[in-house]
Amino acid sequence: MSRCLVVVGLQWGDEGKGKVTDLLAARADVVARYQGGANAGHTVVVSGQKVVLHQVPSGALTPTVRCIIGPAVVLDPETLLDEMSSLAAAGQDLHPGRLAISRAANLVLPYHKALDRLRESAAGADRIGTTGRGIGPAYEDMVGRRGVRAADLCDADRLRARLATVLPERNALIRHLGGNAWSHDDLMDLLLPVGRTLGPYLADTGAVLSEALRRGQRVLFESAQGTLLDVLHGTYPYVTSSLTTAMAAFPLSGIATPKDTLVLGILKAYTTRVGGGPFPTEDSGDFGVHLRTRGAEFGATTGRPRRCGALDLPALRFATRVNGVTHLALMKLDVLGGLDRIPVCTAYRDGARTLDTVHPDQFSDPVLVPVVEEVPGWSEDLRGARSEADLPQPARAYLRLIEEGLGVPVSLVSLGSDRADTVLRADPWL
Ligand code: IMP
């Protein structure tokens, strides 16, 4: 039986990875975040209490789980410390025995956030619609070898020297974009206390993960954002700046690819997107309004209204293939209740050709037209259903349409935000 499971988003993020990770954390020993940063907003609801996690893995709410923040996560120290104190106030103390942070993780510093916002304002209509959390500029610094890393926080001389090397060029760019330069001393004052607090948490997280797997522990890798936002495989340039796919989990975490990895692909029963970029099945009519209202489709990180539209099976076939998905989790099926007919995109037409699968690059092709079919809806409220037999026939048919359309079994169906509003058809970890 496999000990390693990756939870990955198959759309443009916000699929419900936080809820699924939290649910499966009960069966995990370790939960590791491997990319992204505080742009993520993983919402977990426990006994009616909503918690939004941006930086800490969603295993944080399960006391027996060890949480890992890997080297390819960009770390916003301010958000992390805030989150750790809110969790401590809620009775979840993330002491160093429960949370390990990679020494190599690159920091998101105040000047990254300033650059992110200044760039977006300068881009006008071409802006990406980022979360403004400094993610792109922090990753640029990582690959540009200008990063300040977590380990630098623990040595005042090293931190001072590092900032002296990297800050002048960043400040020149900030001034060029019309912003105010950051002072070296102010940054030192801000970061040294952070280093004192985070020092005990820093570790070689690749070694921690390898050892956990060697001892036969169950490790869950929690991705952030979604496949269509991947910097290589998504709707470039309207993407985030990291690798969001499942198989990136291992090189990004610094471990060899474990045998028989399970990949749980998370999808919403419809499609949403925040920010700019193509979205062929977007619906600005009544269907889109129904989804936004009933699904409370507003960003967990920015509060922005999400763009909403029909399920896109060809894009999901691409995401299923790229990630090597072995199981699916279908989220927010309840939101489709109250509709007579539900539109679903089953293929695309490209001139005379019909395409069953599309690469996200093709979305900006003006001749690409979605083929939308309507399937029967249902009026019942699905919350409260605890088994598949409790679902009305059209909801079961919708589930089958997805399984047959993607060729992968649906293991879990979510019908509300609470842990309890879930139908577990087959535990991917049994
Ligand atoms: P960034 O990651 O803040 O640079 O934003 C780049 C794009 O990714 C924008 O379209 C954001 O709306 C989107 N994005 C980033 N993180 C998330 C997320 O967690 N959920 C949904 N969209 C996201």
Side-chain angles (χ1 to χ4, degrees):
M1 184 201 14
S2 178
R3 296 271 147 196
C4 182
L5 184 145
V6 186
V7 167
V8 68
L10 300 183
Q11 295 156 318
W12 278 292
D14 308 319
E15 296 92 351
K17 297 177 292 293
K19 171 172 171 174
V20 173
T21 303
D22 170 63
L23 268 174
L24 294 180
R27 298 166 179 74
D29 299 294
V30 180
V31 175
R33 275 272 311 260
Y34 61 90
Q35 47 71 229
N39 48 349
H42 291 174
T43 306
V44 179
V45 178
V46 187
S47 314
Q49 285 280 90
K50 180 170 153 180
V51 184
V52 183
L53 300 170
H54 298 286
Q55 191 76 74
V56 162
S58 303
L61 299 169
T62 307
T64 48
V65 161
R66 180 134 199 230
C67 293
I68 305 277
I69 296 180
V73 172
V74 284
L75 191 71
D76 180 339
E78 220 179 313
T79 306
L80 175 67
L81 292 177
D82 280 354
E83 229 162 76
M84 285 166 71
S85 26
S86 317
L87 284 166
Q92 294 291 345
D93 181 17
L94 282 180
H95 52 79
R98 280 207 59 208
L99 172 67
I101 301 170
S102 169
R103 297 171 54 76
N106 279 259
L107 302 180
V108 181
L109 296 175
Y111 56 83
H112 292 125
K113 295 182 206 174
L115 272 172
D116 195 359
R117 291 182 188 138
L118 288 164
R119 283 223 185 94
E120 284 284 90
S121 323
D126 290 333
R127 69 182 170 277
I128 288 166
T130 71
T131 57
R133 297 290 186 119
I135 304 300
Y139 275 118
E140 284 167 37
D141 279 1
M142 177 183 92
V143 294
R145 295 160 294 187
R146 289 183 302 264
V148 179
R149 309 210 299 181
D152 296 326
L153 290 172
C154 302
D155 178 334
D157 292 338
R158 181 164 145 184
L159 181 64
R160 194 173 292 110
R162 192 72 190 137
L163 284 172
T165 307
V166 300
L167 191 59
E169 199 198 53
R170 299 297 86 191
N171 273 338
L173 190 52
I174 287 176
R175 281 195 218 94
H176 169 73
L177 291 167
N180 296 322
W182 281 85
S183 122
H184 185 277
D185 289 345
D186 286 353
L187 286 172
M188 287 297 290
D189 290 347
L190 185 79
L191 294 176
L192 284 178
V194 173
R196 283 192 287 276
T197 309
L198 291 187
Y201 292 84
L202 301 189
D204 172 354
T205 50
V208 176
L209 286 170
S210 299
E211 177 59 12
L213 286 166
R214 196 191 61 74
R215 288 169 50 201
Q217 294 193 337
R218 283 179 167 182
V219 180
L220 187 155
F221 289 88
E222 178 187 21
S223 69
Q225 292 80 51
T227 304
L228 304 180
L229 286 171
D230 183 280
V231 68
L232 282 179
H233 308 297
T235 46
Y236 191 87
Y238 296 97
V239 291
T240 190
S241 295
S242 65
L243 296 169
T244 60
T245 53
M247 289 306 150
F250 311 116
L252 295 184
S253 299
I255 62 166
T257 303
K259 285 197 194 78
D260 305 325
T261 298
L262 300 172
V263 179
L264 182 60
I266 318 295
L267 72 145
K268 252 188 245 193
Y270 47 94
T271 314
T272 64
R273 157 158 228 185
V274 204
F279 181 176
T281 66
E282 183 168 12
D283 190 306
S284 38
D286 291 348
F287 178 55
V289 171
H290 172 101
L291 298 175
R292 186 170 311 108
T293 314
R294 195 143 169 177
E297 293 295 353
F298 296 89
T301 300
T302 58
R304 291 180 289 179
R306 295 181 184 140
R307 300 159 65 192
C308 299
L311 192 75
D312 186 336
L313 286 175
L316 285 165
R317 286 188 193 107
F318 166 82
T320 303
R321 172 173 65 76
V322 165
N323 290 295
V325 171
T326 58
H327 301 70
L328 295 166
L330 176 63
M331 312 303 286
K332 289 193 148 182
L333 186 61
D334 56 304
V335 172
L336 295 177
L339 294 164
D340 287 341
R341 317 276 309 161
I342 303 168
V344 177
C345 170
T346 51
Y348 279 89
R349 296 216 34 99
D350 183 358
R353 288 191 310 152
T354 301
L355 310 174
D356 289 333
T357 306
V358 276
H359 187 284
D361 251 2
Q362 293 171 279
F363 279 169
S364 35
D365 179 349
V367 300
L368 196 77
V369 181
V371 176
V372 177
E373 290 176 23
E374 290 199 330
V375 299
W378 57 89
S379 54
E380 293 89 338
D381 184 351
L382 303 188
R383 279 168 307 177
R386 293 292 174 263
S387 79
E388 197 179 340
D390 297 336
L391 299 177
Q393 193 278 331
R396 278 184 273 146
Y398 197 80
L399 216 150
R400 269 198 309 279
L401 174 89
I402 292 171
E403 281 189 319
E404 285 164 15
L406 302 184
V408 183
V410 173
S411 298
L412 183 158
V413 185
S414 174
L415 305 165
S417 49
D418 207 280
R419 277 177 183 168
D421 294 322
T422 310
V423 170
L424 202 57
R425 294 172 89 209
D427 185 340
W429 237 337
L430 284 182

